[in-house]
Amino acid sequence: MPKNSKVTQREHSNEHVTESVADLLAHEEPLDYKSSVMNMGAAGGAPAQKGKAPEDSPDASDGRPAWNSKLQYILAQVGFSVGLGNVWRFPYLCQKNGGGAYLVPYFILLLIIGIPLFFLELAVGQKIRRGSIGVWNYVCPRLGGIGVSSLMVCGFVGLYYNVIIGWSIFYFFQSFQYPLPWSECPIRRNGTQAIVEPECEKSSATTYFWYRQTLNITSTIADSGGLNWRMTLSLLAAWFIVCLAVIKGIQSSGKVMYFSSLFPYVVLFCFLVRGLMLRGSVDGIAHMFTPKLEKMLEPQVWREAATQVFFALGLGFGGVIAFSSYNKQDNNCHFDAALVSIINFVTSVLATLVVFAVLGFKANLMNEKCVVENAEKILGYLNSHVLSYDLIPPHVNFSHLSSSDYAEMYGVIKTVREGSFAQLGLDPCLLEDELNKAVQGTGLAFIAFTEAMTHFPASPFWSVMFFFMLINLGLGSMIGTMEGITTPVLDTFKVRKEVFTVCCCIVAFLFGLLFVQRSGNYFVTMFDDYSAGLPLTIVVILENVSVAWIYGTKRFMQDLEDMLGFRPYAFYFYMWKYVSPFCLIILISATIIEMAVVPPGYNAWVQDLAAERFQSYPPWAMTMCFALIGVAMLPLPIVFIARQFNLMSDGSNKLSVSYKKGMMKDMSNLEDQDETRFILSKNPSETPSPMPTHRSYLGPCSTSPMEMTSSAPSSRYGTGYQMAVTPESEL
C-alpha cells in the first residue's frame, strides 16, 4: 500500500482523518466478488470446487443450518401459524359476529394487514439470516429492543400454551375408555342410598369432568389450592415432547413437522365427513353461513377480525423470522407468504365447518332434551288440572313429540295463560337459541365438543383422534414459539444448542408450575389476556415503521428485487408505507380503550352454584397483569436509550457474513431517484454515480463511517472487512 495513503496516515498519526468508502477501496487489493464467500447472494460466479458446498448454500459461509426441502419449510410455517386458535377461536368469532358476514372483514384485513406484514417478516429474516434480535439490530440498532420484546412475549406465551397441550395429553389418555369418563355424572353413595353428584347434576357431565376431575379448580384466584399432580405430570410430558422436537433445531423440528402439520388435516377431514352424517349437522352449517350483514357495520367486529388475523399468522413472535432465516436468499418468500396465509384462512374455514356441524348435532340433541323435559312438565300440569286438555292440539302425541308440535303447543298455552304463564316455568326450546350459545377456547374443546362426541358411535376412537389433533396443533405452534426464543439467543451468544434448549425447557417447566395449581386456569386466562395482545401489537407496528419509514420502503423494495429476482407489486409499497401502520394504530387504540373500559377480571367456577361467575382481580393480580405488559415492552425503551447514548454496542460485530456485504453495491442515492422507479420499476430520470464521493449510506440509525471504524474492535479480517460491516444495500 502506498505510504501516502490515508489508511497508512491513520496508522502512523493520531490526526482525525476523514475518508470515504471510495478512498479506502481505492487502495484495497481487487476482490473477485463472484467467488468470494462474502458474496453469497450474488448471482452467478465460479462453480464450486469439488468437495465444497456451493456458494449459494448457507453452510458455505457461516455454517448456518438450512431446511432439507422447501416442503419442510412450508410445513414448519404452516404448523406455526395454524394452531389451536383456528379450531376454537375462529369458529367462536364467526358465530358471535354475524356468521358468514364475519368472513368478509376477516378476508379484507388478511389482505391489507396479514399478508403484507407476514411477507415483511419472511423477507427480513431470509435476507439478514438471523433471529429477531439480530434482524432488528441490523435494520435499526436503536430499535433493537423489538427483537428482545418478541423473545419475552414468546417466553410468556410458551409458558401457558404448553399447559393447554398438557390438558390435551390428559384427555388423550383418558379417552382410551368405554364409556368415556365424562359421558355420565358420577354416583355418590350415602349408605344404602345412591345419588348423583350435586355439582354435576346442576351443570353437566362434561362440565363437571373439566372443572372438578381435570382441573379440580378453586373458587378464586387467591386460593391456590396446591399443585394438581395429574396436571403437573401432563405438563412435564408436554415439555418433554417439545424438548425432543426442538433439541436439534430445524434438523429435528423439521422432521416432526411432517407429521404434526399434516395429521390435523387428516383428522379435520375425517370429522367433517363424520359430522355431515350426523343428524342436525346441516342446521349448524346453515347457521354459520347465514350472514347477518348488519354486524359488518359494528366496529367491534372489525377490531376482532384484525386481532384474529394478527395472531393467526404469528406476527411479532419471532418464529416466522427464525424459520425464514434458514432459507437461501433467492427463495421466493413472496409466494410463501401468500401460500401460508391462504392455507391458514382455508384451515380456519374448514375447522369452522367441522365445529358447526358437530355443534348443530349437539344443538339438536339439547333441543330434543328440552322438549322432553318440558313435555313432562305439561303432562304434570294436565294431570293436576292446572292446564286443560282443550289447550292441547288434537294431533299432538306426547309419546312422539316433535319440536314443531311442542312449539305449537307452547304458543297456544302462552297465549291463553298469558297472565300466569311465567309461573309454569316452560322453556321455548328453540334450536336457534342453542346454536347462538357462543362457546370458545377451552369451553369449546373440553366441554362442548367432548359432550357431542359422547353421542358418536365409537366415541372413544373420535375422542382419541380429536385430542391427538389438538396435541399436534399445539406442538406445531410451540415449535415456532421455541424457535422464536432459541434462534435469536443462539445467534447472539454462541452456546451449545442442545444444552440451551434443555435448560430452557427445564426452566419453563418450573415456571409453568404456576399454571398447574388448582387455581392455574385463572392464571392461564390472565397470561392469555395480558402477556401478548398489546405488547405484540406494538412490536409489529414498530417492525412496520422501522422498515417502511426508517429503513425506507423504496430501499426495501429494491432489496427485495435484488433478492427475489423480480419486483413485488406496488400494492405492498402502499400497504407497508401507509395502510398497515394506520390499521395497526387503530388496533392499538381500540385495544387500549377496551382495556380501560372493560374491568379486568376472570370467570371463576363457583362450586356451590356449579356455574361460572365473573370476579375482578385482587390488587396483587392486577399488578401482575400490568407487570406482564410492562416486562414485555421494557426492552424497547431500554435498548433505545442505551444505544442513543452509546451505552450499548449495536451488535454489528455479530452480524453474519451472509449480509455483511454492504460495499458490493451502492444504494446511497436511492431516495433521490424518481419514486416511480422503486414502485413501478420505471427508469429513473438521472443515473446516480456508482460510488458516493463523500459518504456512503450506513443504514438507518447508524453512526458515521469514522465512528464505526474507530469504535469497532480489532477484526481478524482486516480493515477492508471492517468497512464491509456498514451495509450500503440496506438488507
Side-chain angles (χ1 to χ4, degrees):
M1 184 178 292
K3 292 182 179 181
N4 59 351
S5 72
K6 291 185 179 180
V7 176
T8 308
Q9 289 177 20
R10 186 177 64 185
E11 292 176 356
H12 298 284
S13 172
N14 292 327
E15 285 187 32
H16 186 78
V17 180
T18 303
E19 56 206 345
S20 67
V21 175
D23 295 329
L24 287 171
L25 294 181
H27 304 294
E28 292 290 335
E29 293 294 328
L31 295 175
D32 181 5
Y33 296 123
K34 291 184 178 180
S35 61
S36 171
V37 294
M38 294 165 58
N39 191 25
M40 285 179 49
Q49 295 180 12
K50 186 177 181 179
K52 293 186 178 180
E55 292 173 13
D56 61 351
S57 169
D59 295 322
S61 60
D62 58 358
R64 191 172 186 79
W67 296 103
N68 291 333
S69 67
K70 181 66 174 283
L71 176 62
Q72 192 179 83
Y73 165 67
I74 293 296
L75 290 178
Q77 291 287 15
V78 169
F80 177 50
S81 66
V82 175
L84 298 174
N86 297 76
V87 175
W88 67 32
R89 177 70 177 168
F90 188 90
Y92 160 75
L93 292 174
C94 191
Q95 181 182 28
K96 175 186 174 185
N97 296 317
Y102 174 74
L103 299 178
V104 176
Y106 183 86
F107 190 72
I108 291 174
L109 291 169
L110 179 67
L111 291 178
I112 66 176
I113 294 180
I115 295 178
L117 294 180
F118 191 60
F119 180 26
L120 183 146
E121 288 200 358
L122 290 179
V124 295
Q126 179 174 308
K127 182 66 178 179
I128 302 175
R129 306 195 67 243
R130 276 294 180 267
S132 56
I133 294 178
V135 162
W136 303 113
N137 276 344
Y138 176 73
V139 174
C140 181
R142 290 188 180 90
L143 292 181
I146 294 174
V148 185
S149 287
S150 293
L151 188 149
M152 298 292 294
V153 172
C154 279
F156 289 147
V157 171
L159 286 177
Y160 78 85
Y161 201 89
N162 218 25
V163 175
I164 301 173
I165 299 179
W167 294 339
S168 301
I169 291 173
F170 175 75
Y171 267 79
F172 172 75
F173 285 106
Q174 291 291 317
S175 298
F176 290 95
Q177 302 179 46
Y178 186 81
L180 290 170
W182 52 81
S183 60
E184 295 179 354
C185 286
I187 303 298
R188 178 192 294 180
R189 294 200 173 273
N190 186 8
T192 58
Q193 188 179 12
I195 60 172
V196 177
E197 178 65 42
E199 185 181 2
C200 182
E201 191 174 23
K202 292 178 183 177
S203 53
S204 68
T206 51
T207 304
Y208 176 82
F209 187 86
W210 167 243
Y211 283 112
R212 188 56 51 212
Q213 299 291 340
T214 303
L215 301 179
N216 194 16
I217 199 165
T218 59
S219 296
T220 65
I221 194 173
D223 180 12
S224 71
L227 289 178
N228 182 336
W229 68 269
R230 288 184 291 187
M231 292 302 101
T232 303
L233 293 178
S234 299
L235 180 63
L236 180 62
W239 277 114
F240 180 73
I241 294 171
V242 170
C243 186
L244 289 180
V246 300
I247 193 167
K248 293 288 186 181
I250 63 171
Q251 282 82 6
S252 58
S253 62
K255 295 179 177 62
V256 172
M257 285 297 184
Y258 281 118
F259 183 80
S260 65
S261 295
L262 294 176
F263 179 74
Y265 289 96
V266 176
V267 177
L268 284 176
F269 276 111
C270 290
F271 262 97
L272 180 61
V273 173
R274 184 68 187 91
L276 292 175
M277 296 169 62
L278 296 172
R279 179 171 47 86
S281 61
V282 177
D283 295 326
I285 294 176
H287 179 77
M288 168 194 168
F289 282 108
T290 302
K292 301 178 180 65
L293 298 178
E294 66 278 3
K295 283 279 190 179
M296 292 177 59
L297 302 178
E298 298 179 9
Q300 178 75 3
V301 174
W302 290 82
R303 188 192 72 81
E304 291 188 344
T307 304
Q308 180 63 15
V309 167
F310 186 83
F311 287 104
L313 295 175
L315 299 175
F317 281 94
V320 173
I321 293 176
F323 281 147
S324 65
S325 70
Y326 299 112
N327 274 328
K328 296 181 179 180
Q329 289 201 5
D330 60 352
N331 174 62
N332 189 351
C333 55
H334 173 259
F335 171 79
D336 300 343
L339 177 64
V340 174
S341 300
I342 296 301
I343 290 176
N344 189 288
F345 176 69
V346 171
T347 305
S348 297
V349 175
L350 174 63
T352 304
L353 283 172
V354 172
V355 168
F356 273 87
V358 174
L359 291 184
F361 166 68
K362 177 178 176 289
N364 273 271
L365 289 177
M366 299 305 294
N367 190 60
E368 290 176 1
K369 181 180 178 181
C370 177
V371 168
V372 170
E373 291 176 351
N374 283 272
E376 291 177 353
K377 287 184 182 179
I378 293 175
L379 277 174
Y381 292 141
L382 291 173
N383 294 331
S384 61
H385 304 291
V386 174
L387 294 176
S388 171
Y389 280 95
D390 296 335
L391 299 178
I392 308 302
H395 63 275
V396 170
N397 184 354
F398 277 92
S399 61
H400 297 87
L401 189 64
S402 66
S403 297
S404 58
D405 290 342
Y406 174 79
E408 183 180 355
M409 184 169 56
Y410 177 87
V412 172
I413 297 173
K414 184 176 181 181
T415 303
V416 175
R417 300 292 299 270
E418 184 176 358
S420 60
F421 180 77
Q423 299 174 2
L424 299 176
L426 298 177
D427 298 317
C429 296
L430 297 176
L431 181 63
E432 189 72 14
D433 292 341
E434 289 293 336
L435 291 171
N436 282 329
K437 289 181 180 178
V439 184
Q440 67 162 324
T442 54
L444 175 64
F446 298 103
I447 297 177
F449 223 83
T450 52
E451 184 173 352
M453 284 188 295
T454 58
H455 300 282
F456 284 16
S459 56
F461 168 77
W462 293 105
S463 184
V464 167
M465 293 283 283
F466 177 72
F467 289 108
F468 194 41
M469 178 190 72
L470 291 188
I471 293 170
N472 280 275
L473 284 173
L475 181 60
S477 298
M478 272 303 298
I479 289 174
T481 302
M482 288 297 293
E483 285 293 337
I485 297 172
T486 58
T487 298
V489 172
L490 294 175
D491 288 342
T492 307
F493 308 101
K494 300 305 178 184
V495 295
R496 284 200 61 181
K497 182 186 303 176
E498 295 82 356
V499 174
F500 179 71
T501 302
V502 171
C503 290
C504 276
C505 293
I506 293 174
V507 172
F509 169 72
L510 294 177
F511 276 102
L513 294 178
L514 173 70
F515 305 102
V516 292
Q517 305 173 96
R518 290 180 58 200
S519 61
N521 187 45
Y522 304 139
F523 289 99
V524 170
T525 302
M526 176 193 293
F527 273 64
D528 189 37
D529 291 340
Y530 290 94
S531 68
L534 184 61
L536 270 188
T537 311
I538 293 175
V539 162
V540 173
I541 193 173
L542 288 178
E543 290 180 358
N544 194 172
V545 168
S546 63
V547 171
W549 288 90
I550 299 177
Y551 183 81
T553 313
K554 300 174 188 177
R555 293 190 178 96
F556 189 57
M557 293 286 282
Q558 181 62 48
D559 291 335
L560 288 175
E561 183 177 10
D562 297 337
M563 183 171 68
L564 303 177
F566 63 91
R567 179 173 296 278
Y569 299 115
F571 165 81
Y572 292 105
F573 179 93
Y574 294 108
M575 292 300 106
W576 289 328
K577 190 80 171 180
Y578 306 110
V579 179
S580 294
F582 176 74
C583 292
L584 288 172
I585 289 173
I586 293 178
L587 180 59
I588 288 175
S589 303
T591 303
I592 294 174
I593 291 172
E594 184 186 27
M595 291 176 63
V597 172
V598 179
Y602 61 101
N603 289 321
W605 178 257
V606 182
Q607 183 173 1
D608 295 336
L609 301 176
E612 287 185 333
R613 289 291 181 269
F614 180 82
Q615 292 188 14
S616 297
Y617 284 119
W620 64 267
M622 285 283 295
T623 304
M624 191 173 178
C625 292
F626 293 110
L628 290 173
I629 299 175
V631 170
M633 294 170 55
L634 196 60
L636 297 170
I638 288 180
V639 173
F640 181 86
I641 293 171
R643 286 183 173 154
Q644 177 70 26
F645 296 100
N646 297 322
L647 302 176
M648 180 188 298
S649 168
D650 64 1
S652 60
N653 60 318
K654 295 184 176 70
L655 300 181
S656 170
V657 174
S658 62
Y659 60 90
K660 288 178 176 178
K661 52 191 180 69
M663 64 183 182
M664 301 302 175
K665 183 191 300 182
D666 172 56
M667 300 292 290
S668 61
N669 293 331
L670 285 179
E671 285 286 358
D672 300 329
Q673 298 185 27
D674 294 343
E675 187 168 295
T676 55
R677 160 69 178 86
F678 298 97
I679 305 177
L680 303 176
S681 300
K682 295 182 179 179
N683 292 328
S685 55
E686 294 181 3
T687 303
S689 61
M691 184 63 69
T693 55
H694 298 292
R695 178 182 180 276
S696 63
Y697 181 76
L698 297 175
C701 306
S702 299
T703 54
S704 67
M706 287 308 299
E707 290 171 342
M708 287 288 294
T709 306
S710 60
S711 63
S714 299
S715 171
R716 67 178 182 269
Y717 296 104
T719 307
Y721 188 82
Q722 280 188 1
M723 293 307 297
V725 172
T726 44
E728 295 201 21
S729 62
E730 307 165 312
L731 290 186

